[in-house]
Amino acid sequence: MSDTPANYDRFERMKAIRDELLTFKESPLYEYRTQNHYFPVIGEGSHHAHIMFIGEAPGENEAKQGRPFCGAAGRILDELLTSIGLQRKDVYITNIVKDRPPENRDPTPEEIALYAPFLDRQIKIIQPKAIATLGRFSTAYVMDRMGIGDKVTQISAMHGHCYIAQTDWGEINIVPLYHPAVALYNGSMRETLKEDFQVIQLHSWL
Ligand code: URA
């Protein structure tokens, strides 16, 4: 990815993204958001984080509160972060799609294409050393965007592995993970996610 030097700070650049998303009428999800008094979910955490976690799209709780991963899947994510000694404030958490798709359906390719430039800008602002992708949509998007789309296969084969890509700010490590929601009703997935989080802890990105 090429980086545009900006002469205003990370907070201001992130705020500009929020302001644009608030009035993002080009999105087919905009009307659904406003009708339901939902918020766009920009992201949460440190703008200087060494690691970003990128999910899919907000669910109902997230859209109501304007915060990523604050529902049931978020409780699992919190537990996984705690298991490796991290708190939300140590990382940056966001999604590809910033508005809730109706009925929690999967985001469409058009929605991903529409919202992805905002995610690209967030990645450039934070310049993380590692990105943990949560689920197949963010894994496929981020790896493709980072120029290693040829390595994308099933999430069942990629989870917990570390893929290296080059950016303007140096090498970046992409760690695909299962989406935490898969662990809600499946104890063995919870264990797999815990083991995969150990991979994050093992590296010196933090
Ligand atoms: N699932 C996601 O992918 N993102 C959220 O913010 C919440 C649930």
Side-chain angles (χ1 to χ4, degrees), residues 150-203:
D150 57 317
K151 304 237 163 52
V152 175
T153 154
Q154 304 284 356
I155 189 82
S156 55
M158 299 171 73
H159 73 95
H161 293 276
C162 184
Y163 297 84
I164 296 185
Q166 303 301 326
T167 68
D168 290 349
W169 60 94
E171 212 167 67
I172 192 167
N173 299 270
I174 320 277
V175 186
L177 298 170
Y178 281 115
H179 193 285
V182 302
L184 280 174
Y185 307 104
N186 185 329
S188 78
M189 278 294 186
R190 208 180 187 109
E191 282 314 304
T192 304
L193 265 161
K194 270 197 171 154
E195 283 164 23
D196 290 350
F197 265 66
Q198 299 291 318
V199 172
I200 294 171
Q201 193 179 32
L202 274 177
H203 289 81

Short mmCIF file of all heavy atoms in Angstrom, two decimals, residues 150-203:
data_model
loop_
_atom_site.label_atom_id
_atom_site.label_comp_id
_atom_site.label_asym_id
_atom_site.label_seq_id
_atom_site.Cartn_x
_atom_site.Cartn_y
_atom_site.Cartn_z
N ASP A 150 -2.73 -14.37 -3.23
CA ASP A 150 -2.49 -15.72 -3.77
C ASP A 150 -2.34 -16.75 -2.65
O ASP A 150 -2.44 -17.96 -2.89
CB ASP A 150 -1.23 -15.72 -4.66
CG ASP A 150 0.00 -15.24 -3.90
OD1 ASP A 150 -0.12 -14.24 -3.16
OD2 ASP A 150 1.07 -15.86 -4.03
N LYS A 151 -2.13 -16.29 -1.42
CA LYS A 151 -1.95 -17.22 -0.29
C LYS A 151 -3.29 -17.55 0.39
O LYS A 151 -3.34 -18.37 1.31
CB LYS A 151 -1.03 -16.60 0.76
CG LYS A 151 0.33 -16.19 0.21
CD LYS A 151 1.44 -16.88 0.99
CE LYS A 151 2.77 -16.87 0.30
NZ LYS A 151 3.27 -15.60 -0.16
N VAL A 152 -4.36 -16.90 -0.07
CA VAL A 152 -5.65 -17.11 0.60
C VAL A 152 -6.23 -18.47 0.23
O VAL A 152 -6.32 -18.83 -0.94
CB VAL A 152 -6.67 -15.99 0.23
CG1 VAL A 152 -8.05 -16.29 0.82
CG2 VAL A 152 -6.16 -14.64 0.71
N THR A 153 -6.60 -19.20 1.27
CA THR A 153 -7.28 -20.49 1.06
C THR A 153 -8.38 -20.57 2.13
O THR A 153 -8.85 -19.54 2.60
CB THR A 153 -6.24 -21.64 1.05
OG1 THR A 153 -6.89 -22.82 1.43
CG2 THR A 153 -5.10 -21.49 2.01
N GLN A 154 -8.78 -21.76 2.50
CA GLN A 154 -9.84 -21.88 3.53
C GLN A 154 -9.33 -21.37 4.88
O GLN A 154 -8.18 -21.64 5.23
CB GLN A 154 -10.23 -23.35 3.72
CG GLN A 154 -10.67 -24.05 2.47
CD GLN A 154 -12.07 -23.65 2.06
OE1 GLN A 154 -12.73 -22.90 2.77
NE2 GLN A 154 -12.52 -24.12 0.93
N ILE A 155 -10.19 -20.73 5.63
CA ILE A 155 -9.79 -20.23 6.95
C ILE A 155 -9.37 -21.40 7.86
O ILE A 155 -8.47 -21.26 8.70
CB ILE A 155 -10.92 -19.37 7.59
CG1 ILE A 155 -10.45 -18.66 8.86
CG2 ILE A 155 -12.19 -20.13 7.84
CD1 ILE A 155 -9.71 -17.39 8.65
N SER A 156 -9.96 -22.57 7.63
CA SER A 156 -9.61 -23.74 8.44
C SER A 156 -8.14 -24.14 8.22
O SER A 156 -7.52 -24.78 9.06
CB SER A 156 -10.53 -24.93 8.10
OG SER A 156 -10.47 -25.17 6.71
N ALA A 157 -7.57 -23.77 7.07
CA ALA A 157 -6.16 -24.08 6.80
C ALA A 157 -5.23 -22.94 7.19
O ALA A 157 -4.05 -23.15 7.43
CB ALA A 157 -5.99 -24.39 5.30
N MET A 158 -5.78 -21.72 7.27
CA MET A 158 -4.91 -20.55 7.49
C MET A 158 -4.84 -20.09 8.93
O MET A 158 -3.89 -19.41 9.32
CB MET A 158 -5.46 -19.38 6.66
CG MET A 158 -5.48 -19.63 5.19
SD MET A 158 -6.37 -18.30 4.38
CE MET A 158 -5.17 -17.03 4.51
N HIS A 159 -5.86 -20.43 9.73
CA HIS A 159 -5.95 -19.85 11.07
C HIS A 159 -4.70 -20.15 11.91
O HIS A 159 -4.15 -21.25 11.86
CB HIS A 159 -7.21 -20.34 11.80
CG HIS A 159 -7.11 -21.77 12.24
ND1 HIS A 159 -6.72 -22.13 13.52
CD2 HIS A 159 -7.34 -22.92 11.58
CE1 HIS A 159 -6.72 -23.44 13.61
NE2 HIS A 159 -7.09 -23.95 12.45
N GLY A 160 -4.27 -19.13 12.61
CA GLY A 160 -3.12 -19.31 13.52
C GLY A 160 -1.77 -19.27 12.83
O GLY A 160 -0.74 -19.35 13.48
N HIS A 161 -1.76 -19.15 11.49
CA HIS A 161 -0.49 -19.01 10.78
C HIS A 161 -0.17 -17.54 10.58
O HIS A 161 -1.07 -16.69 10.64
CB HIS A 161 -0.56 -19.71 9.41
CG HIS A 161 -0.69 -21.20 9.52
ND1 HIS A 161 0.41 -22.01 9.70
CD2 HIS A 161 -1.76 -22.00 9.51
CE1 HIS A 161 0.00 -23.27 9.78
NE2 HIS A 161 -1.32 -23.29 9.67
N CYS A 162 1.10 -17.26 10.34
CA CYS A 162 1.52 -15.88 10.20
C CYS A 162 1.99 -15.64 8.77
O CYS A 162 2.84 -16.38 8.27
CB CYS A 162 2.65 -15.68 11.20
SG CYS A 162 3.21 -14.04 11.25
N TYR A 163 1.40 -14.67 8.09
CA TYR A 163 1.76 -14.36 6.70
C TYR A 163 2.40 -12.97 6.66
O TYR A 163 1.88 -12.03 7.26
CB TYR A 163 0.50 -14.37 5.82
CG TYR A 163 -0.15 -15.74 5.77
CD1 TYR A 163 -1.05 -16.13 6.77
CD2 TYR A 163 0.13 -16.64 4.76
CE1 TYR A 163 -1.65 -17.38 6.75
CE2 TYR A 163 -0.46 -17.90 4.72
CZ TYR A 163 -1.35 -18.27 5.72
OH TYR A 163 -1.94 -19.51 5.71
N ILE A 164 3.51 -12.88 5.95
CA ILE A 164 4.23 -11.61 5.94
C ILE A 164 3.96 -10.86 4.64
O ILE A 164 3.95 -11.45 3.55
CB ILE A 164 5.74 -11.87 6.14
CG1 ILE A 164 5.89 -12.48 7.54
CG2 ILE A 164 6.55 -10.58 6.00
CD1 ILE A 164 7.28 -12.71 7.99
N ALA A 165 3.71 -9.56 4.79
CA ALA A 165 3.51 -8.70 3.62
C ALA A 165 4.34 -7.44 3.80
O ALA A 165 4.79 -7.14 4.92
CB ALA A 165 2.03 -8.35 3.48
N GLN A 166 4.55 -6.73 2.70
CA GLN A 166 5.35 -5.49 2.76
C GLN A 166 4.43 -4.29 2.66
O GLN A 166 3.48 -4.29 1.88
CB GLN A 166 6.35 -5.45 1.58
CG GLN A 166 7.29 -6.63 1.50
CD GLN A 166 8.14 -6.81 2.75
OE1 GLN A 166 8.53 -5.83 3.39
NE2 GLN A 166 8.43 -8.06 3.10
N THR A 167 4.73 -3.28 3.45
CA THR A 167 3.98 -2.02 3.36
C THR A 167 4.98 -0.87 3.30
O THR A 167 6.19 -1.10 3.44
CB THR A 167 3.11 -1.79 4.62
OG1 THR A 167 3.99 -1.55 5.72
CG2 THR A 167 2.22 -2.97 4.94
N ASP A 168 4.46 0.34 3.15
CA ASP A 168 5.33 1.53 3.14
C ASP A 168 6.06 1.72 4.46
O ASP A 168 7.08 2.39 4.51
CB ASP A 168 4.49 2.79 2.89
CG ASP A 168 3.97 2.82 1.48
OD1 ASP A 168 4.44 2.01 0.67
OD2 ASP A 168 3.11 3.66 1.20
N TRP A 169 5.47 1.22 5.53
CA TRP A 169 6.10 1.40 6.85
C TRP A 169 6.84 0.13 7.31
O TRP A 169 7.19 -0.01 8.47
CB TRP A 169 5.08 1.86 7.90
CG TRP A 169 3.93 0.92 8.13
CD1 TRP A 169 3.83 -0.05 9.08
CD2 TRP A 169 2.70 0.86 7.40
NE1 TRP A 169 2.64 -0.71 8.97
CE2 TRP A 169 1.91 -0.17 7.94
CE3 TRP A 169 2.18 1.58 6.31
CZ2 TRP A 169 0.65 -0.49 7.46
CZ3 TRP A 169 0.92 1.25 5.83
CH2 TRP A 169 0.17 0.23 6.40
N GLY A 170 7.07 -0.78 6.38
CA GLY A 170 7.86 -1.97 6.70
C GLY A 170 7.05 -3.24 6.60
O GLY A 170 5.94 -3.25 6.05
N GLU A 171 7.62 -4.29 7.17
CA GLU A 171 6.99 -5.61 7.10
C GLU A 171 5.77 -5.66 8.03
O GLU A 171 5.81 -5.10 9.12
CB GLU A 171 8.03 -6.60 7.62
CG GLU A 171 7.94 -7.94 6.99
CD GLU A 171 9.20 -8.75 7.34
OE1 GLU A 171 9.37 -9.09 8.52
OE2 GLU A 171 9.97 -9.05 6.41
N ILE A 172 4.74 -6.33 7.56
CA ILE A 172 3.56 -6.50 8.42
C ILE A 172 3.22 -7.98 8.49
O ILE A 172 3.43 -8.72 7.51
CB ILE A 172 2.38 -5.65 7.89
CG1 ILE A 172 1.27 -5.58 8.92
CG2 ILE A 172 1.84 -6.14 6.57
CD1 ILE A 172 0.22 -4.54 8.61
N ASN A 173 2.76 -8.42 9.64
CA ASN A 173 2.40 -9.82 9.86
C ASN A 173 0.88 -9.93 9.87
O ASN A 173 0.22 -9.23 10.64
CB ASN A 173 2.94 -10.29 11.21
CG ASN A 173 4.44 -10.20 11.26
OD1 ASN A 173 5.13 -11.13 10.91
ND2 ASN A 173 4.95 -9.04 11.66
N ILE A 174 0.35 -10.80 9.05
CA ILE A 174 -1.10 -11.01 9.03
C ILE A 174 -1.37 -12.37 9.67
O ILE A 174 -0.81 -13.38 9.24
CB ILE A 174 -1.66 -11.05 7.59
CG1 ILE A 174 -1.02 -9.99 6.69
CG2 ILE A 174 -3.19 -10.98 7.59
CD1 ILE A 174 -1.53 -8.64 6.72
N VAL A 175 -2.21 -12.37 10.69
CA VAL A 175 -2.56 -13.62 11.36
C VAL A 175 -4.06 -13.87 11.21
O VAL A 175 -4.87 -13.23 11.89
CB VAL A 175 -2.20 -13.60 12.86
CG1 VAL A 175 -2.43 -14.97 13.49
CG2 VAL A 175 -0.76 -13.17 13.07
N PRO A 176 -4.45 -14.76 10.30
CA PRO A 176 -5.88 -15.06 10.17
C PRO A 176 -6.37 -15.87 11.39
O PRO A 176 -5.67 -16.78 11.86
CB PRO A 176 -5.96 -15.93 8.91
CG PRO A 176 -4.66 -15.72 8.19
CD PRO A 176 -3.65 -15.44 9.28
N LEU A 177 -7.53 -15.50 11.86
CA LEU A 177 -8.13 -16.20 13.00
C LEU A 177 -9.58 -16.53 12.67
O LEU A 177 -10.20 -15.84 11.84
CB LEU A 177 -8.11 -15.31 14.25
CG LEU A 177 -6.74 -14.86 14.77
CD1 LEU A 177 -6.90 -13.80 15.85
CD2 LEU A 177 -5.97 -16.06 15.32
N TYR A 178 -10.12 -17.53 13.35
CA TYR A 178 -11.56 -17.75 13.23
C TYR A 178 -12.27 -16.54 13.84
O TYR A 178 -11.75 -15.89 14.77
CB TYR A 178 -11.98 -19.00 14.01
CG TYR A 178 -11.69 -20.29 13.30
CD1 TYR A 178 -10.77 -21.21 13.81
CD2 TYR A 178 -12.36 -20.62 12.12
CE1 TYR A 178 -10.51 -22.41 13.17
CE2 TYR A 178 -12.11 -21.83 11.47
CZ TYR A 178 -11.18 -22.71 11.99
OH TYR A 178 -10.94 -23.89 11.35
N HIS A 179 -13.47 -16.29 13.35
CA HIS A 179 -14.27 -15.21 13.96
C HIS A 179 -14.68 -15.67 15.37
O HIS A 179 -15.11 -16.81 15.55
CB HIS A 179 -15.51 -14.95 13.10
CG HIS A 179 -16.20 -13.70 13.47
ND1 HIS A 179 -16.97 -13.59 14.60
CD2 HIS A 179 -16.22 -12.48 12.88
CE1 HIS A 179 -17.45 -12.35 14.68
NE2 HIS A 179 -16.99 -11.65 13.65
N PRO A 180 -14.56 -14.79 16.39
CA PRO A 180 -14.90 -15.22 17.76
C PRO A 180 -16.33 -15.76 17.90
O PRO A 180 -16.59 -16.57 18.80
CB PRO A 180 -14.73 -13.94 18.59
CG PRO A 180 -13.95 -13.00 17.77
CD PRO A 180 -14.04 -13.42 16.34
N ALA A 181 -17.24 -15.34 17.02
CA ALA A 181 -18.63 -15.82 17.12
C ALA A 181 -18.70 -17.34 16.97
O ALA A 181 -19.61 -17.98 17.51
CB ALA A 181 -19.51 -15.14 16.08
N VAL A 182 -17.73 -17.95 16.27
CA VAL A 182 -17.79 -19.41 16.08
C VAL A 182 -17.59 -20.14 17.41
O VAL A 182 -17.97 -21.30 17.55
CB VAL A 182 -16.77 -19.96 15.05
CG1 VAL A 182 -16.95 -19.34 13.68
CG2 VAL A 182 -15.33 -19.82 15.53
N ALA A 183 -17.01 -19.43 18.38
CA ALA A 183 -16.74 -20.07 19.68
C ALA A 183 -17.92 -19.98 20.63
O ALA A 183 -17.90 -20.57 21.71
CB ALA A 183 -15.51 -19.43 20.31
N LEU A 184 -18.98 -19.25 20.20
CA LEU A 184 -20.09 -19.03 21.12
C LEU A 184 -20.74 -20.34 21.57
O LEU A 184 -21.08 -20.50 22.73
CB LEU A 184 -21.15 -18.12 20.48
CG LEU A 184 -20.82 -16.63 20.51
CD1 LEU A 184 -21.85 -15.83 19.71
CD2 LEU A 184 -20.79 -16.15 21.96
N TYR A 185 -20.92 -21.22 20.61
CA TYR A 185 -21.60 -22.48 20.95
C TYR A 185 -20.71 -23.68 20.68
O TYR A 185 -21.19 -24.78 20.51
CB TYR A 185 -22.92 -22.60 20.16
CG TYR A 185 -23.78 -21.38 20.33
CD1 TYR A 185 -23.88 -20.43 19.34
CD2 TYR A 185 -24.45 -21.17 21.54
CE1 TYR A 185 -24.64 -19.28 19.52
CE2 TYR A 185 -25.20 -20.04 21.73
CZ TYR A 185 -25.29 -19.09 20.73
OH TYR A 185 -26.03 -17.96 20.92
N ASN A 186 -19.42 -23.45 20.60
CA ASN A 186 -18.52 -24.56 20.26
C ASN A 186 -17.23 -24.46 21.08
O ASN A 186 -16.35 -23.65 20.79
CB ASN A 186 -18.24 -24.50 18.74
CG ASN A 186 -17.40 -25.67 18.26
OD1 ASN A 186 -16.58 -26.19 19.00
ND2 ASN A 186 -17.62 -26.06 17.02
N GLY A 187 -17.19 -25.27 22.13
CA GLY A 187 -16.07 -25.21 23.07
C GLY A 187 -14.73 -25.53 22.43
O GLY A 187 -13.71 -24.97 22.80
N SER A 188 -14.72 -26.43 21.43
CA SER A 188 -13.42 -26.78 20.85
C SER A 188 -12.89 -25.63 19.99
O SER A 188 -11.68 -25.40 19.89
CB SER A 188 -13.50 -28.10 20.07
OG SER A 188 -14.08 -27.90 18.83
N MET A 189 -13.81 -24.86 19.38
CA MET A 189 -13.39 -23.67 18.63
C MET A 189 -12.80 -22.63 19.57
O MET A 189 -11.87 -21.91 19.23
CB MET A 189 -14.58 -23.05 17.90
CG MET A 189 -14.88 -23.73 16.61
SD MET A 189 -13.51 -23.48 15.44
CE MET A 189 -14.19 -24.20 13.99
N ARG A 190 -13.37 -22.56 20.76
CA ARG A 190 -12.86 -21.62 21.76
C ARG A 190 -11.41 -21.95 22.10
O ARG A 190 -10.55 -21.09 22.20
CB ARG A 190 -13.73 -21.73 23.00
CG ARG A 190 -13.83 -20.49 23.84
CD ARG A 190 -14.73 -20.83 25.02
NE ARG A 190 -15.03 -19.69 25.82
CZ ARG A 190 -16.22 -19.11 25.87
NH1 ARG A 190 -17.21 -19.54 25.12
NH2 ARG A 190 -16.44 -18.09 26.68
N GLU A 191 -11.16 -23.27 22.25
CA GLU A 191 -9.79 -23.72 22.55
C GLU A 191 -8.86 -23.42 21.37
O GLU A 191 -7.72 -22.98 21.56
CB GLU A 191 -9.78 -25.23 22.85
CG GLU A 191 -10.26 -25.56 24.24
CD GLU A 191 -9.65 -24.66 25.32
OE1 GLU A 191 -8.41 -24.60 25.41
OE2 GLU A 191 -10.39 -24.00 26.07
N THR A 192 -9.35 -23.65 20.15
CA THR A 192 -8.53 -23.36 18.96
C THR A 192 -8.18 -21.87 18.92
O THR A 192 -7.04 -21.50 18.66
CB THR A 192 -9.30 -23.76 17.68
OG1 THR A 192 -9.65 -25.13 17.79
CG2 THR A 192 -8.47 -23.55 16.43
N LEU A 193 -9.18 -21.03 19.18
CA LEU A 193 -8.92 -19.59 19.18
C LEU A 193 -7.89 -19.22 20.25
O LEU A 193 -7.00 -18.40 20.02
CB LEU A 193 -10.22 -18.82 19.41
CG LEU A 193 -10.93 -18.36 18.14
CD1 LEU A 193 -12.39 -18.04 18.40
CD2 LEU A 193 -10.25 -17.14 17.54
N LYS A 194 -8.03 -19.84 21.42
CA LYS A 194 -7.06 -19.55 22.50
C LYS A 194 -5.65 -19.92 22.07
O LYS A 194 -4.70 -19.18 22.30
CB LYS A 194 -7.43 -20.35 23.76
CG LYS A 194 -8.36 -19.60 24.66
CD LYS A 194 -8.37 -20.19 26.05
CE LYS A 194 -9.15 -19.27 26.96
NZ LYS A 194 -9.73 -19.96 28.10
N GLU A 195 -5.53 -21.09 21.42
CA GLU A 195 -4.20 -21.51 20.94
C GLU A 195 -3.68 -20.54 19.89
O GLU A 195 -2.50 -20.18 19.89
CB GLU A 195 -4.28 -22.92 20.34
CG GLU A 195 -4.36 -24.01 21.39
CD GLU A 195 -4.83 -25.34 20.81
OE1 GLU A 195 -4.69 -25.55 19.58
OE2 GLU A 195 -5.36 -26.15 21.58
N ASP A 196 -4.56 -20.09 18.99
CA ASP A 196 -4.13 -19.17 17.95
C ASP A 196 -3.70 -17.82 18.54
O ASP A 196 -2.79 -17.17 18.02
CB ASP A 196 -5.22 -18.98 16.90
CG ASP A 196 -5.44 -20.22 16.04
OD1 ASP A 196 -4.60 -21.15 16.13
OD2 ASP A 196 -6.42 -20.27 15.29
N PHE A 197 -4.36 -17.42 19.61
CA PHE A 197 -3.95 -16.17 20.26
C PHE A 197 -2.55 -16.29 20.86
O PHE A 197 -1.84 -15.30 20.96
CB PHE A 197 -4.98 -15.74 21.33
CG PHE A 197 -6.00 -14.76 20.79
CD1 PHE A 197 -6.90 -15.14 19.81
CD2 PHE A 197 -6.04 -13.45 21.24
CE1 PHE A 197 -7.82 -14.25 19.29
CE2 PHE A 197 -6.95 -12.54 20.72
CZ PHE A 197 -7.84 -12.94 19.74
N GLN A 198 -2.18 -17.51 21.24
CA GLN A 198 -0.82 -17.70 21.75
C GLN A 198 0.21 -17.34 20.67
O GLN A 198 1.29 -16.87 20.98
CB GLN A 198 -0.60 -19.17 22.16
CG GLN A 198 -1.51 -19.66 23.27
CD GLN A 198 -1.18 -19.01 24.60
OE1 GLN A 198 -0.02 -18.86 24.93
NE2 GLN A 198 -2.21 -18.61 25.32
N VAL A 199 -0.15 -17.57 19.41
CA VAL A 199 0.75 -17.22 18.30
C VAL A 199 1.03 -15.72 18.34
O VAL A 199 2.16 -15.28 18.14
CB VAL A 199 0.11 -17.62 16.94
CG1 VAL A 199 0.92 -17.11 15.77
CG2 VAL A 199 -0.09 -19.11 16.85
N ILE A 200 -0.03 -14.96 18.61
CA ILE A 200 0.15 -13.51 18.69
C ILE A 200 1.09 -13.17 19.84
O ILE A 200 2.00 -12.34 19.70
CB ILE A 200 -1.23 -12.82 18.89
CG1 ILE A 200 -2.10 -13.04 17.66
CG2 ILE A 200 -1.06 -11.34 19.22
CD1 ILE A 200 -3.53 -12.59 17.82
N GLN A 201 0.88 -13.83 20.95
CA GLN A 201 1.70 -13.53 22.15
C GLN A 201 3.19 -13.89 21.93
O GLN A 201 4.08 -13.23 22.44
CB GLN A 201 1.16 -14.30 23.35
CG GLN A 201 1.75 -13.81 24.66
CD GLN A 201 1.17 -14.59 25.83
OE1 GLN A 201 0.84 -15.76 25.69
NE2 GLN A 201 1.05 -13.93 26.96
N LEU A 202 3.40 -14.95 21.13
CA LEU A 202 4.77 -15.43 20.92
C LEU A 202 5.65 -14.44 20.18
O LEU A 202 6.86 -14.43 20.33
CB LEU A 202 4.72 -16.69 20.04
CG LEU A 202 4.51 -18.01 20.73
CD1 LEU A 202 4.42 -19.11 19.69
CD2 LEU A 202 5.68 -18.26 21.68
N HIS A 203 5.03 -13.58 19.36
CA HIS A 203 5.81 -12.67 18.53
C HIS A 203 6.10 -11.36 19.27
O HIS A 203 5.46 -11.05 20.27
CB HIS A 203 5.09 -12.40 17.21
CG HIS A 203 5.11 -13.60 16.31
ND1 HIS A 203 4.22 -14.63 16.48
CD2 HIS A 203 5.91 -13.93 15.29
CE1 HIS A 203 4.47 -15.54 15.56
NE2 HIS A 203 5.50 -15.14 14.83
#
